[in-house]
Amino acid sequence: GFLYVANYARDGWARADRARFVRVIVNPNTMERDFIAFADPALAEEAARTNSSAVVEWGDVLELGRTQPMGGN
């Protein structure tokens, strides 16, 4: 089976292995960050520009989860 993630730009789901992800600040007070997922790569690029972030793929999200704490700075 496939793993699905919530598609940030629209209702519904996207396959994690085909989605693009953008790391954003979800709480400016604590600088907590999380990833938002996009089925449409162009929307991911737009969100990355808006959030001064970068577009990454699922493998990158998994690697960051292994090597960096996801909460806080």
Side-chain angles (χ1 to χ4, degrees):
F2 297 107
L3 178 66
Y4 289 84
V5 292
N7 185 15
Y8 184 79
R10 296 185 175 86
D11 288 338
W13 301 93
R15 271 182 45 179
D17 63 337
R18 294 183 178 168
R20 298 296 180 266
F21 298 84
V22 177
R23 196 171 190 191
V24 298
I25 296 171
V26 294
N27 185 334
N29 295 321
T30 63
M31 294 306 289
E32 179 183 353
R33 297 173 184 264
D34 201 356
F35 287 95
I36 52 177
F38 295 86
D40 183 336
L43 293 177
E45 290 288 345
E46 182 179 328
R49 280 192 302 276
T50 300
N51 290 280
S52 300
S53 191
V55 177
V56 297
E57 296 185 2
W58 182 237
D60 302 312
V61 173
L62 293 176
E63 183 60 26
L64 283 168
R66 281 192 283 270
T67 61
Q68 297 180 14
M70 297 307 287
N73 46 2

